[in-house]
Amino acid sequence: MSFSELKSSFRILTLVISSFYFFACQSSAQINKLLEKAGQLSSTPTGAEISSGLKEALEKGTGISVDRLSLENGYLGNLDVKILFPEEAKQAERTLRNLGMGSLCDQVITSVNRAAEDAAMQAKPIFTAAIKQMSFQDVQKILLGEQNAATQYFQKTTSDSLTVKFKPVIEKSLEKVNATKYWDDLVTQYNKVPMVKKMNPDLTTYVTQKAIDGLFVEIAKEELKIRNQLGARTSPLLQKVFGYAESQKK
């Protein structure tokens, strides 16, 4: 083989090796990209993702619940949370309706529910604070806990703060919507009925507690949705975190 032929063959060999190296590098880059993407799609979230995902879900759920109850008829039009007469006043309600005072009873029910709707928005910063102070242990217990684990957490950590925040608002609102007047009129009329046991339950305390109970009812509904309905997981993070939670419970 002549020198020129050898030189040409060397060039061809170099070109082949270079091409092989180039495509190998390209394949390696593609493989790395695929591996990276696979890592991103991994069904096991990191601790930070679990914490962020659960808190995102809780902020969403409590926000929806508060907003819904704050609307006009948020309580009054929702049979699950509608505030009715206190148990100890049910007999008074029946007696007064039988005596033709059903309108007064209806005014009391409407006005106490309006007071609860007024107060509901006060809950949002309290729930936000409770979410922010969650430890990672709290997050894990809620995520992998019972269907209402988050609701239970809020009941335990926010009930006292909600009572303190709600009570003055409820009291003021009861005055604003004439609930106190209607209630006083109702109690006065009932206590005039012969042979009945006199009654006068603390309306403010009762409505405050029922308003808070209603919040937890709605939060429990939202919690159940995000745990059981794929459509309620409105972000990739929520899908990943709650998908992981489902896999751990199987």
Side-chain angles (χ1 to χ4, degrees):
M1 181 182 292
S2 67
F3 178 77
S4 60
E5 288 175 336
L6 186 61
K7 188 175 181 182
S8 176
S9 298
F10 182 77
R11 284 176 180 171
I12 292 171
L13 181 60
T14 302
L15 181 61
V16 169
I17 293 172
S18 299
S19 299
F20 178 81
Y21 180 77
F22 172 78
F23 286 114
C25 288
Q26 288 293 99
S27 298
S28 177
Q30 289 174 343
I31 290 169
N32 286 336
K33 283 184 179 179
L34 289 172
L35 289 173
E36 185 179 342
K37 193 171 288 186
Q40 291 171 351
L41 297 174
S42 169
S43 60
T44 304
T46 64
E49 286 176 324
I50 289 173
S51 185
S52 297
L54 183 76
K55 289 181 179 183
E56 178 185 330
L58 296 180
E59 285 176 10
K60 178 187 173 188
T62 55
I64 289 172
S65 301
V66 169
D67 290 343
R68 184 160 58 222
L69 292 177
S70 304
L71 296 172
E72 184 174 339
N73 295 324
Y75 279 87
L76 187 64
N78 183 339
L79 293 180
D80 291 332
V81 300
K82 182 178 181 180
I83 302 173
L84 302 174
F85 272 66
E87 197 58 42
E88 61 268 38
K90 290 288 178 66
Q91 181 58 47
E93 180 185 11
R94 286 191 290 270
T95 300
L96 292 174
R97 287 190 186 279
N98 289 336
L99 293 172
M101 298 184 208
S103 177
L104 178 58
C105 295
D106 291 339
Q107 286 174 326
V108 168
I109 291 172
T110 297
S111 59
V112 297
N113 282 278
R114 292 286 181 257
E117 290 157 11
D118 270 358
M121 193 54 73
Q122 303 296 318
K124 197 168 272 190
I126 293 173
F127 288 135
T128 299
I131 292 167
K132 285 182 178 177
Q133 70 184 19
M134 278 180 178
S135 67
F136 185 65
Q137 286 70 30
D138 292 328
V139 167
Q140 285 182 307
K141 284 179 184 176
I142 291 171
L143 182 65
L144 303 177
E146 298 174 11
Q147 293 282 63
N148 65 341
T151 305
Q152 289 181 33
Y153 173 84
F154 285 126
Q155 286 175 316
K156 182 177 70 175
T157 59
T158 67
S159 289
D160 290 345
S161 298
L162 287 170
T163 300
V164 170
K165 197 79 171 178
F166 269 40
K167 199 162 188 176
V169 178
I170 292 281
E171 190 167 23
K172 185 177 179 181
S173 188
L174 289 172
E175 293 284 350
K176 183 181 79 174
V177 299
N178 288 323
T180 306
K181 177 184 178 301
Y182 296 140
W183 181 251
D184 289 343
D185 290 347
L186 183 145
V187 169
T188 300
Q189 292 299 322
Y190 178 72
N191 286 342
K192 285 180 180 178
V193 177
M195 308 295 291
V196 299
K197 182 181 178 181
K198 309 302 181 196
M199 65 99 193
N200 190 16
D202 182 343
L203 188 63
T204 301
T205 298
Y206 171 72
V207 175
T208 298
Q209 187 56 56
K210 295 302 286 184
I212 293 170
D213 291 346
L215 271 172
F216 292 135
V217 168
E218 293 303 294
I219 288 171
K221 288 181 187 176
E222 292 303 316
E223 180 177 4
L224 204 57
K225 274 185 193 176
I226 204 160
R227 285 187 187 276
N228 297 326
Q229 297 179 20
L230 293 176
R233 301 168 191 173
T234 53
S235 74
L237 182 59
L238 291 182
Q239 292 163 14
K240 184 174 186 177
V241 169
F242 283 91
Y244 164 74
E246 283 179 347
S247 70
Q248 295 301 297
K249 293 180 180 180
K250 290 179 181 177

